[in-house]
Amino acid sequence: VLETRARAHERGVQPYARLTSIGRGPTLHTALRDCLTRASLPPRAIDLVVLDARGSLEADRAEYAALAEVFGPREDLRLCAPKSAFGDVVGARTATDIAIGVLSLLNQTVYPTAGGGESPLPCTTGRHAVGNAEQASLEHVLVNARDEAGRALCFLLSRAA
């Protein structure tokens, strides 16, 4: 449920997270840049990326390439691919990934990417939590989403103030 901070305050509830910005573009690279620009944040401010993780070598290779272009080599950038555990839930995939991003911020946890740690693709930036969730200090989480044509949206979630 999305609501304004004022409305949450009126209801006497603490927000779980804040939707800081939404970026869009014809490619993931442009959507990532647009999202960071709209938020006035440098790439270094992002702690975790919830990957689109389409499950095809071509799409996943393009996602890793976009991350490398935007973030450069960063060992401290955390990555997770929740769809590796529960599959592609079609129309609910982006909403599910956003929920994982919110839970990550709320619980200060990087949820694991399923699998044994072996990837057919080299990732030159970031690190997956594999097997078990890991505690982490998280302020900003990016959630990647793409359609079949590769057009992208990026949602920047931040810790609730």
Side-chain angles (χ1 to χ4, degrees):
V1 175
L2 291 174
E3 65 183 340
T4 65
R5 187 179 317 187
R7 178 67 184 126
H9 181 71
E10 286 173 14
R11 293 188 323 110
V13 297
Q14 176 66 33
Y16 293 148
R18 179 170 40 98
L19 178 59
T20 303
S21 70
I22 301 172
R24 62 180 175 263
T27 66
L28 187 55
H29 175 264
T30 55
L32 285 164
R33 291 271 186 219
D34 184 48
C35 192
L36 291 169
T37 298
R38 289 173 185 267
S40 298
L41 286 174
R44 170 110 357 250
I46 304 306
D47 302 304
L48 169 67
V49 178
V50 178
L51 299 170
D52 181 47
R54 305 286 297 182
S56 78
L57 288 176
E58 181 181 339
D60 291 349
R61 187 177 288 121
E63 184 167 23
Y64 279 159
L67 293 175
E69 287 178 46
V70 172
F71 294 103
R74 279 192 51 199
E75 290 283 327
D76 64 323
L77 180 65
R78 306 309 307 277
L79 307 172
C80 74
K83 285 186 281 302
S84 65
F86 53 75
D88 184 355
V89 290
V90 192
R93 67 178 163 229
T94 301
T96 304
D97 286 348
I98 289 171
I100 295 289
V102 168
L103 287 171
S104 294
L105 286 165
L106 186 64
N107 299 323
Q108 294 293 284
T109 300
V110 177
Y111 292 97
T113 297
E118 297 297 319
S119 173
L121 296 174
C123 180
T124 60
T125 192
R127 177 174 73 78
H128 287 269
V130 178
N132 296 306
E134 297 177 7
Q135 293 303 119
S137 177
L138 304 172
E139 289 294 323
H140 302 288
V141 173
L142 264 174
V143 178
N144 291 342
R146 292 175 290 177
D147 67 10
E148 297 301 322
R151 294 174 298 231
L153 290 171
C154 294
F155 301 87
L156 178 57
L157 306 171
S158 301
R159 280 184 76 172

